[in-house]
Each structure stands twice: as structure tokens, then as C-alpha cells.
Amino acid sequence: MTVTDSVLLFVAGFLAGLVNAVAGGGTFLTFGALSLAGLPPIAANATSSIAQFPGYVTSTLAYAKDIRRYWQGALPLLVVSVVGSLLGALILLALDNPSFKRLVPWLLLAATALFAAGPWLRPKPTGGAGAEGGRQRYLSPLTQFVASIYGGFFGAGMGIMMLATLGLTEGGDYHRLNALKNTLALVIAAVAIVVFALGDVVGWVQVAVMVPAAALGGYAGVWGAKRVPQTAVRVFVIAVGLLLTAYYFAAA
């Protein structure tokens, strides 16, 4: 890895941590930088997951009090998240790089569209579980299973997808749903990381550069979240997603 690659990955890791703290979408930055640094698509995807893992941990810890109150009720969703993430990660490892590379532009396009639609997919705050949410609760494990397969396989836009599906199938206010989403995302990422590590597809040198950068970016994001307009960050992330999509379509 060259000095230029190291600088690119550090900056991308820092910006990913920052934008994840403000608006989400850091996967576009880490995956894109790792691709430019020469990692094959599968390795770039796996390494990106590990580089952002500390952010999942800190965002989950921020909701520790909420999680302690409802974790028993969330056990079915946690179980299907483990199984779904395991399946998604194994599907990824079953592919070769040329096959996955052909899928990447479509995955990026879908993730960019999902990210752009995020504000409209976000559930409205409510005072408690609604009747409709109670009637549809049986759908939660099924929709979460699908979301976790996607999360284990690729992951970009996973948080927005889960927040939308949980808002449709679970009761409670926005903060409860967000806490649940963060917990499930942590589990999905942890399972996928174990599979990727055992599959020997992780660029550990790149991880060593990006993890501390992402941690610094996440810390800076706490400051930036209060001062940088989320709209500006979202436009930046969407632009990166579209550029990456165009790049992979051209390279396919």
C-alpha cells in the first residue's frame, strides 16, 4: 500500500465516521476509497464493514438505557438478524470477484436511491405502539430477515432500510425504533465480520488505517451534527453514491 493510498483511506475513514454521525452513508466513502486503493470488490466490501464497526458500537452504546428496557422483546429480531447476516455473508463469499463486480453498480444504485429517500422513509414519532403496528408485528421477523441478508451481503443503506421496515411493523416512538435499529445493525455487522475474517477476504492493513480515522471522524461528527446542515451532508453522500455507481457501470 502506497503513501497516497494510506492518505486516501485515512481521509475516507475520517469522512465516513463524520457523515455517519451526521446523516449516515459512510459505506459509500469507505467502499469507494478501498476500490480506488486497488482492493477487489469482495475484499473492499468486507474491509469496509470492519472499518465502520466501531461506529456501530458507539451508536448502540448511546442507546444503552433504552436497550436494557426492551432487549427481551427484541430477541426474535436478534435471532433472525444473526441467521440472515450469516446467510448474506456466505452468499457473498460464494461469488467470485467478477460476478460480484457486475452486481455492485446495481447495489450502489439501489442503496443511493434508498439513502436519498431516507427522510420520507423515516417513521413518524408516535406516543406508543399503534393498533396497526400491533396487527403487523408478525411481519417484523420476516422483514428483518430480508434486511439482515442484505446487510450481511452488502450493507450500504442497511440502517435506512431497517428503520423503514421497523417503523411499519413495530410499535413505539422514533427513539425506540432507532435504538432497535442500531442494536440489530451491530449484530448484523458483527456476524458478517466474523464470516469475512474466516473467509480471508479482509484487507487488515487497510483496516488498521481506516478504523482510527473513522473513530476520529465519529467524534468530530458529534460536533458537526450540531453545526453542519444534514441536507448538505446528504447531498454530498448521494453525489458520491452516484459517482461510484457510474464508475462501476462503466467498469462492468
Side-chain angles (χ1 to χ4, degrees):
M1 186 170 62
T2 67
V3 174
T4 302
D5 289 339
S6 299
V7 172
L8 171 66
L9 295 178
F10 188 90
V11 171
F14 179 85
L15 290 176
L18 192 150
V19 301
N20 277 338
V22 178
T27 300
F28 294 110
L29 300 173
T30 53
F31 181 79
L34 288 162
S35 298
L36 291 176
L39 263 68
I42 292 177
N45 184 40
T47 305
S48 175
S49 298
I50 296 179
Q52 295 186 87
F53 187 71
Y56 290 118
V57 175
T58 54
S59 61
T60 301
L61 290 176
Y63 281 105
K65 291 183 179 179
D66 300 270
I67 294 168
R68 281 195 292 268
R69 287 200 299 268
Y70 70 74
W71 72 269
Q72 288 182 320
L75 281 177
L77 299 182
L78 291 170
V79 171
V80 298
S81 294
V82 170
V83 177
S85 180
L86 178 62
L87 180 59
L90 290 175
I91 292 173
L92 177 68
L93 294 187
L95 298 175
D96 54 25
N97 277 296
S99 298
F100 182 61
K101 188 175 181 179
R102 286 192 292 270
L103 290 174
V104 165
W106 297 103
L107 291 169
L108 286 170
L109 183 61
T112 303
L114 191 65
F115 183 81
W120 293 274
L121 296 175
R122 184 175 297 173
K124 296 180 180 179
T126 60
E132 184 178 358
R135 289 195 300 270
Q136 295 184 358
R137 184 176 294 274
Y138 70 94
L139 289 176
S140 285
L142 178 60
T143 56
Q144 181 57 32
F145 181 64
V146 175
S148 61
I149 292 175
Y150 173 79
F153 183 77
F154 191 57
M158 171 182 66
I160 297 170
M161 179 188 297
M162 286 197 296
L163 198 57
T165 56
L166 290 171
L168 292 173
T169 59
E170 286 286 314
D173 61 17
Y174 172 76
H175 293 292
R176 178 187 181 277
L177 294 175
N178 201 37
L180 181 57
K181 178 264 293 181
N182 287 343
T183 306
L184 297 174
L186 175 65
V187 170
I188 291 169
V191 171
I193 286 170
V194 171
V195 174
F196 295 152
L198 293 176
D200 196 24
V201 293
V202 178
W204 293 109
V205 175
Q206 289 81 359
V207 167
V209 173
M210 298 188 84
V211 165
L216 289 172
Y219 183 80
V222 175
W223 178 89
K226 300 177 181 179
R227 295 167 175 82
V228 180
Q230 286 199 15
T231 301
V233 178
R234 293 187 66 82
V235 169
F236 171 70
V237 173
I238 291 169
V240 171
L242 291 174
L243 286 173
L244 282 174
T245 300
Y247 170 79
Y248 272 99
F249 269 123

